[in-house]
Amino acid sequence: MLAHRQPDPLDALAPVIALLRSGGWLILAGTIVAPPVIYAAVPGGTTIIDKVVRAINALTPSPAVCPSTDATIGLLVALGMDQVCATTHTETSRGGGPGCALYRHAARHLRDQLTGTVGFTNAELDQFDLLMQDTGVLLRVGSSVTLHARMAT
């Protein structure tokens, strides 16, 4: 179900929840778009990684972003659900790993926009490219949330 694409999640969730029997379960999942978290980098690398990843995220909005976990839990409770449970999964990647490779390729693909519109220099983007290959770099590359809730009996 794509509740996150609705202007008002209530419009998407209410009809689905209305179909649940007493004690029935609803499961929702989505991607969390959050600012980058850099756990390890060479001195000076954290700033450029943070700036470029934020710019990439701004230029490539995710089509499947879930609303705030707290807001969704509140909505589910308001709609008669109980036993609401949220599980968050965070994935990290080292430089040279698949997650960093995705950011590296995105920066290469978006280079004209990053230098023209956003204002990065070619030297900054070259540094970012090297950092995304550096095994001393460790960053969060994605998070997701799964919620399950039971209809009150």
Side-chain angles (χ1 to χ4, degrees), residues 18-133:
L19 296 173
L20 289 175
R21 293 185 180 131
S22 176
W25 288 90
L26 175 71
I27 299 172
L28 302 171
T31 301
I32 301 169
V33 174
V37 175
I38 299 101
Y39 300 106
V42 295
T46 300
T47 302
I48 191 69
I49 292 170
D50 182 70
K51 287 172 57 177
V52 174
V53 170
R54 285 176 187 269
I56 289 169
N57 288 343
L59 290 171
T60 57
S62 172
V65 178
C66 66
S68 145
T69 302
D70 290 335
T72 303
I73 290 171
L75 178 62
L76 292 172
V77 170
L79 291 170
M81 306 299 286
D82 64 10
Q83 295 183 14
V84 180
C85 179
T87 304
T88 303
H89 169 81
T90 298
E91 182 180 344
T92 62
S93 183
R94 283 227 172 260
C100 289
L102 286 173
Y103 278 128
R104 182 176 175 227
H105 293 299
R108 284 181 173 185
H109 178 73
L110 297 168
R111 192 175 196 99
D112 290 343
Q113 289 176 277
L114 291 168
T115 55
T117 309
V118 181
F120 286 102
T121 65
N122 281 316
E124 289 172 317
L125 295 177
D126 290 344
Q127 180 187 7
F128 178 78
D129 191 85
L130 291 173
L131 287 165
M132 292 298 94
Q133 298 174 70

